[in-house]
Amino acid sequence: MLAKNEKALGFGGIVVALALASGIASADGKVTLSGAEEVPAVTTSASGTGTITIKDDKTVTGSVTTKGVEGVAAHIHLAPVGKNGPPVITLVKKSDAEWSVPEGSKLNDEQYAAYKAGNLYVNVHSAANKGGEIRAQLKP
């Protein structure tokens, strides 16, 4: 029995508590990649979706799936919205349309601070757009 001032967590509260306990820094880590997010913007019908999760212990997991682009490389980069920056993690091509974060990937302290400030992004490069064809900023 609960005391007067205690409240039951309920299923939703338990899920939130478990997520916090597991160190998930992003609520869901979902990303939607588009040419409009690139710098400069790219006019393309290509798109992408995926999940990139960064935990409080700085580990990175996830993948993105693309449509309408023959990707030649994919990375997580260090830069704020509207800027380009250096790659910090190179994604691994799993199929013509899927790119995954390599197992055991981890950010350093500077990269993690950049992530918390909203200054990391993921993009997929093509032969036609070597600097990147589609991009999405990662949200903490």
Side-chain angles (χ1 to χ4, degrees):
M1 202 69 159
L2 298 174
K4 273 186 179 178
N5 292 335
E6 292 180 308
K7 293 185 179 178
L9 276 178
F11 180 73
I14 291 170
V15 170
V16 170
L18 288 173
L20 291 173
S22 70
I24 296 172
S26 177
D28 63 10
K30 292 193 185 316
V31 292
T32 302
L33 294 85
S34 71
E37 297 290 319
E38 282 292 348
V39 179
V42 173
T43 301
T44 181
S45 60
S47 63
T49 59
T51 303
I52 304 290
T53 303
I54 301 174
K55 295 185 178 181
D56 289 339
D57 68 357
K58 303 179 187 93
T59 58
V60 184
T61 58
S63 65
V64 295
T65 302
T66 62
K67 288 186 352 186
V69 61
E70 189 175 322
V72 296
H75 306 96
I76 294 174
H77 293 261
L78 176 70
V81 172
K83 304 267 185 195
N84 291 317
V88 295
I89 296 176
T90 299
L91 278 59
V92 176
K93 191 171 191 174
K94 295 292 186 178
S95 70
D96 285 344
E98 184 181 4
W99 298 86
S100 294
V101 175
E103 191 172 325
S105 292
K106 197 166 186 172
L107 300 177
N108 65 29
D109 291 342
E110 175 190 354
Q111 295 161 350
Y112 184 71
Y115 163 70
K116 294 299 270 182
N119 296 332
L120 288 184
Y121 66 92
V122 61
N123 76 343
V124 177
H125 307 259
S126 67
N129 293 286
K130 291 180 180 24
E133 183 151 341
I134 55 176
R135 168 179 169 158
Q137 206 72 21
L138 302 181
K139 296 180 175 116

